[in-house]
Amino acid sequence: MRDCEAPVAVSGERIRSADRPPGRCAISGSSINGIAALLGFGYLLVVAGLTLTRERPVLPFRWELPLGIAGVVMLAVGNGFGLFYAPSEKFMGQVGRIIYSHVPAAWVGMICFLLAAVFAAGFLFTNDPERARRWDAAMEAACEVGVLEGVLMLLTGAIFGRPTWGVWWTWDPRLTSAAVMTMSFVGVLLLRGIVRDPDRRATWSAVATILAGINVPIVYMSVQWWASLHQPQSEGAGGSMIDPSMRWILFFNAMAFLFVTVFFLAARARIAERRVEAEMPEPLPEVAT
Amino acid sequence: MTGVIEGGWEYVYASYLTSWVFVVGYAASLWLRSREER
């Protein structure tokens, strides 16, 4: 534990903590994040190792369940940090606390969309029917969860924009490209809904997903390529825009969102796999020779 | 005028509440669909 520090007023960068109650000890946020990351990602590595060495993980429960529970608990704790512990932002005041719900949703949403494109490529480049079904199920899950996070990003962004910019929406490059990205994947889901044949559905939506995935780097770079009202990336090549006292809380919430999202992805992929299996035709009866 | 946004807690609560509605709502939908698929 660090010694209690006097309030720090930092200027110069976009987002800086404006106040910290005098004599308040700073929790070692990096330690908390380090422990959470070690446990969460360590668990994922163990599960991945079990999956690769065996046909299915040898666990008496669904592997994603502990991650989902941990994610929800972390999200509750992280929101508590954001509401009651985090300092207010230098210019946005208390409204700056919205970053702890808006930014994680944006990050994880874009990760989901990227994953969907990767799974789509995996489907298109595999020859094994069993693996192709799994890639397709994973792609469907990533598209749907990504749309969920994308819509959440747009909604929380509008809630953020109203008190800071004075408008719920503006046709700013970042906002517009994010909306286009989310709607592209909504289109992929609609395509999957209207195509009955499983093979065509998988192939067509895989191609559409890869095309939609091109939006992700455009959204990320939009604030640099065009004059945008939206602030630049919080974490970019030039370093962090955020004061450390806020940054660790942001990362904590982002990790919580990520763990919850992994749970959603796994559960949704199971549902998609079962549906595809149900759609498969009955095997032909064996003919006695 | 100080140049700092004053108040705005209702927006903060709305944002956090929206996040939880989405998370809990989607978890519930997954659970219901998982039961249907079995």
Side-chain angles (χ1 to χ4, degrees), chain A residues 126-208:
Chain A
T126 189
N127 292 321
D128 180 48
E130 173 70 23
R131 282 195 181 171
R133 273 198 300 276
R134 288 194 196 166
W135 282 120
D136 179 55
M139 178 184 69
E140 180 176 313
C143 285
E144 186 172 297
V145 177
V147 165
L148 176 87
E149 303 274 4
V151 171
L152 182 60
M153 165 186 67
L154 293 171
L155 280 177
T156 52
I159 296 171
F160 207 171
R162 176 63 181 157
T164 51
W165 299 337
V167 291
W168 294 104
W169 180 262
T170 180
W171 294 106
D172 164 84
R174 169 55 71 87
L175 274 67
T176 306
S177 57
V180 168
M181 173 182 70
T182 306
M183 290 303 115
S184 301
F185 282 91
V186 169
V188 171
L189 292 177
L190 289 173
L191 178 67
R192 290 186 70 88
I194 62 174
V195 178
R196 295 286 179 199
D197 179 64
D199 289 330
R200 279 188 197 165
R201 180 178 64 216
T203 306
W204 292 0
S205 60
V207 173

Side-chain angles (χ1 to χ4, degrees), chain A residues 72 76 79 83 90-92 94 97-98 100-101 144-145 148 152 155-156 159 162-164 264 268 271 274, chain B residues 3-5 7-9 11-16 18-20 22-24 26-27 29-30 33-34 37-38:
Chain A
V72 168
N79 282 181
L83 282 171
K90 188 177 172 78
F91 301 109
M92 293 187 283
Q94 308 302 337
R97 298 173 192 278
I98 296 178
Y100 306 117
S101 68
E144 186 172 297
V145 177
L148 176 87
L152 182 60
L155 280 177
T156 52
I159 296 171
R162 176 63 181 157
T164 51
F264 284 164
R268 183 61 182 85
I271 294 170
R274 276 203 291 266
Chain B
V4 181
I5 297 173
W9 277 105
Y11 294 101
V12 178
Y13 293 141
S15 176
Y16 283 44
T18 304
S19 298
W20 278 101
F22 270 58
V23 168
V24 172
Y26 191 67
S29 85
L30 284 177
R33 280 187 282 174
S34 176
E37 292 287 338
R38 275 189 211 143

Side-chain angles (χ1 to χ4, degrees), chain A residues 113-132:
Chain A
F113 290 146
L114 274 178
L115 280 176
V118 167
F119 296 150
F123 169 81
L124 291 172
F125 286 104
T126 189
N127 292 321
D128 180 48
E130 173 70 23
R131 282 195 181 171

